[in-house]
Amino acid sequence: MVGIDEKDEEILRELRKNGRATLTELGRKIGLSPASIKNRIEKLENLGAIKGYSAIVDPTFLNEFVQAIIEVELLVDNETVDKMLYNISQLDNVVGVYRKTGEFQILIRANFKDVPQLKEFVRNLSAKYLGKNMKRAKVSVIIDAFKENGVVLYKERRSRRRR
Amino acid sequence: MVGIDEKDEEILRELRKNGRATLTELGRKIGLSPASIKNRIEKLENLGAIKGYSAIVDPTFLNEFVQAIIEVELLVDNETVDKMLYNISQLDNVVGVYRKTGEFQILIRANFKDVPQLKEFVRNLSAKYLGKNMKRAKVSVIIDAFKENGVVLYKERRSRRRR
DNA sequence: GCTGAAATTCTGGAGTG
DNA sequence: CACTCCAGAATTTCAGC
């Protein structure tokens, strides 16, 4: 990677684990002054190495009791799909949108209040967004999340069933 | 949700979109003093509503050029699987670990330097972690990420192929 | 949940190697 | 050119209410 050295990588790794780490903290860990850390973070943001920051939130606290994974098989995957996926990405309850290899080309992670809302969402996927291009969708419901975006959610290994 | 009001929900929603928002910013948006925001955030962290904070990092800048989704079908899914999934969650290159409904009960998102590393990982899934309980695995490679952990990655809808 | 003061952190410019 | 130092600004923290 051009223009990226080990210190930059350390910053990226640290921020992935703790996105709210302060410049001073990072400086101590990495061995740079807070001002340098700031310069580097700005550089990393401009380069697109850092896309943004996010808190890992338990969806049930936002009354999102159904967390689903929706895989979509497309008839054709072309540039116009990009725009549709961009539009889907704008939805607040959608957490992740990916294009991938395999039988199902699209994977969407989204949260819902209840199952009817999930059903409505899947209906809208073809009705509003992907149209006839959507061949079929496969829906799974998340039972447990152990790790999310690099953050381990279970602190102990005791058997608990709730997240 | 007990002990959670609308202001708390707003805080959760804001922090999910921008995990590095300052207390002052949040206070302005929500209509509370920075001190109150801080108190509420602490409460939310203690309640487990906020699990952590993370920067959304482009994996290619950390020499993780292969981003994979690995689905695993288990023979039996019982409590001992929890511990194995916990162990898998500890791995640095693993970004997400979920238990879900459907034919494949486990979904793992992980990043790799190259395909041989991915292959090695899948081999280790049965050799080291899940043992004979792993019936089979289905691997997909991520081509494009449009949204990750609530953060939209494509800023415009111009057709770009790189993330 | 507010206020105000103290501590900490952040920021931007000048200077150094 | 990236880093450090330093002073002013902003934020965070903590007390009392």
Side-chain angles (χ1 to χ4, degrees), chain A residues 101, chain B residues 63-72 91 93-94 108-127 129 134 137-143:
Chain A
T101 64
Chain B
N63 296 319
E64 300 169 336
F65 299 107
V66 180
Q67 297 133 50
I69 294 169
I70 299 132
E71 292 173 89
V72 177
L91 299 173
N93 65 314
V94 171
I108 298 170
R109 217 155 98 40
N111 301 327
F112 305 93
K113 185 169 174 283
D114 49 30
V115 173
Q117 248 194 30
L118 164 58
K119 183 182 164 189
E120 170 75 3
F121 178 81
V122 176
R123 213 187 57 76
N124 274 336
L125 270 186
S126 63
Y129 293 100
M134 178 166 129
K138 188 170 77 174
V139 178
S140 314
V141 172
I142 293 177
I143 298 172

Side-chain angles (χ1 to χ4, degrees), chain A residues 144-146 152-156 160-163, chain B residues 86:
Chain A
D144 260 328
F146 288 81
V152 178
L153 304 179
Y154 278 101
K155 295 304 171 197
E156 313 139 33
R160 295 155 52 217
R161 242 62 226 304
R162 286 215 74 281
R163 27 173 300 122
Chain B
Y86 176 83

Side-chain angles (χ1 to χ4, degrees), chain B residues 13-78:
Chain B
R13 269 182 243 279
E14 274 308 317
L15 281 178
R16 185 150 68 173
K17 274 192 286 193
N18 177 13
R20 261 184 110 77
T22 67
L23 303 181
T24 314
E25 278 177 303
L26 292 170
R28 259 199 308 272
K29 264 189 191 156
I30 293 165
L32 288 175
S33 71
S36 300
I37 298 285
K38 186 177 186 293
N39 285 338
R40 283 168 178 268
I41 288 180
E42 271 173 12
K43 180 186 74 178
L44 291 168
E45 286 171 351
N46 291 333
L47 281 172
I50 298 173
K51 302 288 190 182
Y53 304 89
S54 179
I56 314 295
V57 173
D58 184 335
T60 60
F61 283 84
L62 289 172
N63 296 319
E64 300 169 336
F65 299 107
V66 180
Q67 297 133 50
I69 294 169
I70 299 132
E71 292 173 89
V72 177
E73 183 178 2
L74 300 171
L75 286 173
V76 290
D77 185 2
N78 52 31

Side-chain angles (χ1 to χ4, degrees), chain B residues 95-110:
Chain B
V95 181
V97 176
Y98 306 94
R99 175 187 274 119
K100 63 180 193 67
T101 65
E103 199 182 351
F104 296 84
Q105 298 94 332
I106 308 299
L107 189 146
I108 298 170
R109 217 155 98 40

Side-chain angles (χ1 to χ4, degrees), chain A residues 82-100:
Chain A
D82 284 22
K83 203 176 160 186
M84 297 163 183
L85 294 180
Y86 176 82
N87 291 335
I88 294 170
S89 297
Q90 298 303 314
L91 299 173
D92 251 11
N93 65 315
V94 171
V95 181
V97 176
Y98 306 94
R99 175 186 276 121
K100 64 180 193 67

